[in-house]
Amino acid sequence: MASENTRKWAIIPEPNSMTVGEGTVLLPYAGRVNESIAIGDGDFLLAHQLVADIRSATGTDWDIATGDMWSGFIRLRIADSWDFDSQDGGTAGAYTLTINTDGITITGCDFEGVRNGVQTLRQLIRQNGDVLPELQIADAPACQIRGYYLDATRGRVPTLAWLKQWADKLCLYKYNQLQLYIEHTFAFDGMSETWRGSSPLTPADTLEFDQYCANLGIELVPSVSTFGHQYVAMRTQELRELGEFPEDADRPFSFIERMRHHTLNVTDDRAFAFSAQLVDSYLQLFRSKRFNICADETFDLGKGKSKQEAQRVGVAALYATYVGKLCEHLSKQGREPMLWGDIAVEMPEILETLPNNVTLLNWQYEPEATDEKIQLVAQAGAKQIVCPAVWGWNALLPRIDDAWNNISRIARYGIDCGAEGMLVTDWGDFGHINDPRMAVPGMIFGAHYAWNPAEDSAGKTDGNTAENSAENDLLERISRVEYGDCSARFVTLLRNASAQAVFTWRELVEYLELDDGTGNCNTDVAQTIPCLADRLVDHLSDCGNAMTVREARNRMMRNMATTVERIPQANRALQQCMVDIAPIAAHMGNPGITAAVRIAMEGQLLLNRVGFALAEAHDVRDAHDAGDWRPSDYRALARELECWCEAYAKEWNVTSQPSELHRIQETVWKAADELRRISR
């Protein structure tokens, strides 16, 4: 294979076998794509994808035909039985691609194989125009399931138009499965009190999107919370009695509490009827035979209404019985159940009770994750799909280093332990502040490592991720392939910018939500903040009363003292990233991503300044310690926040329905009001 240093194009995922010749091939100005009818691509979508990219890259219009009576400079065909040798083994998704002076031929083992070969050719056309390199590729995926999991419920509900754009991008990088995470943002019949005001997806949206994905060779798998993560439903008048703590249903909304208090009381027979209704109505809208019931993070199980039964049979048995009943319900309808594996891994005795046809979605998001949990499931003989993350949640800028470390490791562990595939997760905790376009580098990491895990680099660092050659090489290739950046620096600069996030959205939410709305400290929130959780009980015993909001916020900010010291330097570095990235973005011809990145960087500059201002207000540092930089006065900073929030809202609307944008805005306004208050 030609070295990356000697050519200015790349392919992602990197093919398993590629031989690049010395010559080039000039595409005809009036060519044709001949796509065999045997491929099974009814609308000739693959041929149309190539024609569209040729038009975009060269300005020329090509024809499309099928059948052996019509010539074609680009030929798409299904393999004969002898076309794939034992090395490929006829693997689903395998293909060969040949580019020479006689033309271009893509041969696939099946429809997916042809599709994958077409995506490789599209990437080459986008980078090289009508002069392509001579080459030969023989390629096949390491993981048969290469999935993406998109949060569509905890803040953002994507528009249908944007979902289609995202599916197109997943197709380009050879993903073959997509799941949308749903809690309360689907318009189920009889549940309007739950989904009202959330811009819910509808059955019509789902039917249309399911067909769109199928045409692209992507399986759209239904996924809906059926056990935990019922925070919104358990706060309604009609359904609150099904929760573990119905007495808390009228507490003020909290981003943090939504992540922790949301579990059904499964000792109530009505709970199963509720879950079964969700499953039965939702599955009818999808052609997939798989169904993800989620069933993760059931934190309150056995602590509220079900406490007595949990004491009798055990929390593990309570969980396993309910999940087993749901899985059996799905199996009777010919569906293959999937569920998140965190509870079963935490209580391994559950693994022994799961039905044989259940697939565990074994998630691990730590950048330095080990293979212990994946080995545990493998040794239990359970089917599993490994699930890393793009690391975008609670942040305006994606944590690219963390995503690379996590995804590259988990992919390698999954292959070693015989996992059925990989499902890359993209979460939107705390209102989904993260623009989904910021997840593209992480999504491409997942595509690359699910296809070709690269044993010599995946999951291995030299102690300094920023200097890791494998990561840097992939960042450069993403810059070229995805963003059309000839300098190959765009994603590296985005990575450098994300490293300057000192005071994040998460810390702002934690600071504000320590006030329970009545002026008292919200102990549920305080318990999620390590520096406060250890002090809550001690403070009560020492002082005889609960910690006040002021005391909790003081302790939180003082715990961040060392971190806050970095803010002046971090903001200077972030501003330099903005200067460096601007001319690159100008030449990429993609104003959408340019605007999204600019708004994210400006927002992080402001968050850092808010953190610095709050530290000053709590006497964490003296003003004269700020050196040559300090934030503007608090009122001016409040006004800047509000102006930025308006710009952020416009970018939100590019990809998302209104959904919970108002919660983001209300949080920003609350921060602005707090700045004005402390300025008095």
Side-chain angles (χ1 to χ4, degrees), residues 17 36 132 135 200 245 248 263 315 380 412 491 570 624 648 655 665:
S17 173
S36 169
L132 301 181
L135 54 72
F245 294 102
D248 291 338
T263 307
V315 173
R412 181 72 258 147
V491 184
H624 70 267
Y648 174 85
T655 64
Q665 292 171 314

Side-chain angles (χ1 to χ4, degrees), residues 8 83 96 175 263 291 296 344 359 456 481 500 556 585 595-596 668:
K8 300 299 183 183
D83 281 344
T96 61
Y175 278 88
T263 307
F291 196 107
D296 57 316
T359 300
D456 59 344
V481 176
Q500 311 313 319
M556 175 185 170
V668 173

Side-chain angles (χ1 to χ4, degrees), residues 39 53 104 125 150 202 217 229 373 380 422 439 506 537 546 582 615:
I39 293 170
D53 277 330
I104 300 171
I125 292 169
L150 179 65
T202 67
H229 287 288
K373 293 180 180 179
M422 187 161 79
R506 180 187 183 99
V537 176

Side-chain angles (χ1 to χ4, degrees), residues 149-150 152-153 163 178-189 191 200-207 209-210 220-226 274-288 290-294 329-330 333 335:
Y149 195 85
L150 179 65
T153 206
L163 281 174
L178 172 62
Q179 300 186 31
L180 303 181
Y181 176 53
I182 298 295
E183 290 176 7
H184 64 284
T185 53
F186 194 83
F188 289 105
D189 282 353
M191 291 184 61
L201 292 167
T202 67
D205 294 331
T206 302
L207 292 171
F209 190 49
D210 185 64
L220 185 65
V221 175
S223 173
V224 64
S225 288
T226 60
F274 168 73
S275 297
Q277 180 183 356
L278 295 178
V279 167
D280 294 347
S281 55
Y282 204 44
L283 65 80
Q284 294 180 352
L285 305 175
F286 296 80
R287 67 193 66 202
S288 173
R290 307 179 216 260
F291 196 107
N292 182 4
I293 62 171
C294 295
H329 182 75
L330 274 166
Q333 301 180 70
R335 305 290 167 147

